[in-house]
Amino acid sequence: MRNGLLSWILPKPHKPLRPESEIRTLYPKFRWRILEATFLGYSVFYTVRNNFPVVSKEIGQALSYSQEQIGNILAITAISYGIGKFLMGALSDRSNPKIFMPLGLVLTGICNICFGASSDYQTHLILWGLNGLFQGMGWPPCGRSLGHWFSVKERGQKFAVWNIAHNVGGGLVGVIAAYSASWFGWRNAFYIPAALSFLTAIYLYFRLLDTPQSVGLPSIEEYSGTETDSSKISESERELSFKEIFIDLVLLNKYIWVFAIANFFVYIVRYSLTDWGPSYLKFAKGASLEKGGISTLIYEFAGIGSTLLVGWYSDKVGGKRGLVSLVCMVPILFALFGILLVPSGYLWADLALFGVVGFFIYPPVMLLGVAGLDFTSKKAVGTAAGFIGLFGYLGRTALSKGLGWMSSYPWFRWEHSIFIIFLSAILAIILLAFTWNWKPKH
């Protein structure tokens, strides 16, 4: 029954096909709307997710939290986000992105307001865990939308453009949270991003669309000419059952498993310098609050150009996302070694090396998600990406919990964190070596 709340969130039914002249006019216009709206929406999701690490030192000082407690908050949001990305991905595959994504922004904004208003550790732990769960409503509707509006032959390029949302949102949160806390107190590092998330949710509700067929347009396969067999097109547009999505297309898919395990170690590297990088610079190199926040901006923005270039190149080599990801991981080893060697007082060198890691880590982050779509159905993209993302955030959880636990011992030195990240990069390279010749069959 498609009524009430259920009809409000379920995918929109197909409408009669528009005339050819309207299709030629509307398809490019609506594709731009999808790319622009999902880009903006996902950027804002970052401002209400990665704001805590930027001000974690200040919260710890204000509320007398230990480094282990800070690590626990980081760990719980990492694991809840991984779970949320998987579960919400499955729901997203059977939902209307126009509703699903704005709803996620509203819920995560509420968690931020409540977090900023609280001074209790247990309450903070619960709220940031819930925030991670609701954050899982960000990527899956974007993946569903892009999978329906852009064809496989342009997927690397278009996902690369969209993926810059990670860098824009991740970079801006470092500045927004740091300066909000510096000027108005640490609680405003949560209030101000929350207000931004509410405004963006309203915008997305009026800007996003569901599938092309829901607005009277042909499927992307018909529009792009990548598929002419009507029976295959009809099958690819069929809404799948949860069993088909979970079991057949994800859990029994060996390609998804390998990319997921590799993502575990890639995400340790990725989040090491956003979750712990500002603290590393403050404690080990004497950086200020503002300079710690700027390190995140440099790290995130450094990945913009490389993501565009590598996304385009992965299409040119036949969709060998694993091979390209492998190549990108190698320079990261040298940059991490350089961070370890730079003495205190040379912050410019640390920031430059943060930029090198950011330049090379974001292409694999993007490509492993795209690989999930390449090796499954577009009707299961949210679940596949969520499964790969789950392993990624298990890696982030292991990093946060491990470093938080280690920091409670007197033998701990911040340099130990760099060794852990270095080892993770090596393990990611070993796993990606198995995928060097994999490319989408279609």
Side-chain angles (χ1 to χ4, degrees):
M1 246 168 55
R2 301 178 66 91
N3 52 30
L5 179 63
L6 196 60
S7 63
W8 181 63
I9 201 168
L10 283 175
K12 292 293 182 183
H14 293 188
K15 288 186 176 180
L17 197 63
R18 294 174 183 265
E20 184 63 30
S21 59
E22 289 187 32
I23 293 173
R24 287 196 301 268
T25 301
L26 292 177
Y27 224 113
K29 184 185 298 184
F30 286 168
R31 275 157 58 94
W32 165 252
R33 276 180 60 173
I34 291 297
L35 188 60
E36 169 252 306
T38 54
F39 183 102
L40 176 63
Y42 197 69
S43 296
V44 174
F45 264 98
Y46 262 75
T47 67
V48 279
R49 178 165 89 234
N50 281 8
N51 44 350
F52 175 78
V54 179
V55 294
S56 61
K57 178 184 177 183
E58 289 66 34
I59 293 175
Q61 291 173 341
L63 303 179
S64 299
Y65 289 172
S66 68
Q67 281 302 310
E68 185 173 8
Q69 288 175 310
I70 295 295
N72 287 340
I73 295 175
L74 289 170
I76 196 169
T77 190
I79 187 63
S80 65
Y81 179 51
I83 294 170
K85 200 172 182 181
F86 184 36
L87 296 180
M88 297 299 183
L91 292 175
S92 174
D93 283 330
R94 298 172 58 83
S95 300
N96 181 359
K98 180 183 179 71
I99 306 299
F100 198 83
M101 193 173 183
L103 179 61
L105 272 177
V106 170
L107 292 173
T108 191
I110 292 172
C111 287
N112 268 258
I113 289 176
C114 294
F115 189 97
S118 174
S119 299
D120 177 69
Y121 171 69
Q122 293 297 330
T123 303
H124 277 164
L125 207 60
I126 293 170
L127 285 171
W128 223 233
L130 285 174
N131 187 49
L133 190 67
F134 295 138
Q135 283 284 330
M137 300 175 74
W139 201 104
C142 296
R144 172 181 167 86
S145 295
L146 295 173
H148 278 86
W149 285 92
F150 297 96
S151 66
V152 64
K153 65 182 180 182
E154 57 183 345
R155 193 167 285 161
Q157 299 175 54
K158 292 303 187 291
F159 262 92
V161 172
W162 174 84
N163 201 73
I164 296 172
H166 291 76
N167 310 96
V168 172
L172 289 178
V173 68
V175 175
I176 292 172
Y179 281 91
S180 296
S182 180
W183 292 345
F184 309 113
W186 69 264
R187 298 183 192 277
N188 283 279
F190 300 91
Y191 296 152
I192 292 173
L196 181 61
S197 74
F198 295 146
L199 292 174
T200 306
I202 296 171
Y203 178 79
L204 292 182
Y205 178 76
F206 291 102
R207 189 69 172 164
L208 277 174
L209 301 166
D210 198 358
T211 63
Q213 295 91 324
S214 71
V215 290
L217 300 177
S219 70
I220 185 58
E221 289 79 12
E222 294 174 273
Y223 177 75
S224 64
T226 54
E227 181 58 74
T228 57
D229 189 327
S230 59
S231 63
K232 290 183 179 179
I233 293 174
S234 177
E235 175 61 22
S236 71
E237 292 301 324
R238 180 175 63 87
E239 296 295 339
L240 305 177
S241 67
F242 278 112
K243 176 185 177 298
E244 289 174 302
I245 293 173
F246 269 107
I247 306 300
D248 300 339
L249 293 173
V250 176
L251 295 183
L252 296 181
N253 189 328
K254 68 176 183 179
Y255 301 104
I256 300 297
W257 274 97
V258 174
F259 285 124
I261 297 172
N263 206 39
F264 178 92
F265 298 105
V266 168
Y267 263 57
I268 289 179
V269 178
R270 174 194 177 185
Y271 275 106
S272 61
L273 298 188
T274 54
D275 284 356
W276 294 94
S279 294
Y280 172 80
L281 293 178
K282 292 172 192 175
F283 286 107
K285 302 297 178 74
S288 64
L289 168 61
E290 290 84 357
K291 289 292 176 60
I294 288 173
S295 73
T296 304
L297 177 69
I298 293 173
Y299 177 75
E300 297 287 353
F301 275 34
I304 293 177
S306 60
T307 300
L308 290 171
L309 177 63
V310 170
W312 166 82
Y313 183 70
S314 72
D315 283 340
K316 293 300 180 182
V317 295
K320 292 183 179 180
R321 324 290 184 195
L323 170 63
V324 179
S325 298
L326 168 63
V327 172
C328 287
M329 292 300 298
V330 175
I332 292 173
L333 297 175
F334 295 96
L336 291 171
F337 191 62
I339 291 172
L340 195 62
L341 294 180
V342 171
S344 180
Y346 292 85
L347 187 62
W348 62 268
D350 285 307
L351 294 177
L353 290 168
F354 269 49
V356 172
V357 178
F359 184 87
F360 285 104
I361 194 60
Y362 273 100
V365 168
M366 181 266 295
L367 290 175
L368 291 179
V370 176
L373 178 53
D374 286 341
F375 287 91
T376 190
S377 163
K378 67 180 181 181
K379 295 295 184 180
V381 59
T383 309
F387 186 71
I388 293 173
L390 170 61
F391 276 76
Y393 284 94
L394 287 173
R396 185 186 184 188
T397 303
L399 173 74
S400 298
K401 187 62 180 174
L403 287 183
W405 170 77
M406 289 169 61
S407 67
S408 65
Y409 287 88
W411 49 260
F412 176 76
R413 298 291 180 271
W414 280 97
E415 291 77 9
H416 296 160
S417 62
I418 304 298
F419 287 117
I420 293 173
I421 304 162
F422 191 88
L423 177 61
S424 298
I426 291 175
L427 292 173
I429 289 172
I430 292 172
L431 284 163
L432 289 170
F434 290 100
T435 73
W436 72 275
N437 203 31
W438 292 0
K439 59 182 180 179
K441 293 180 181 179
H442 47 277

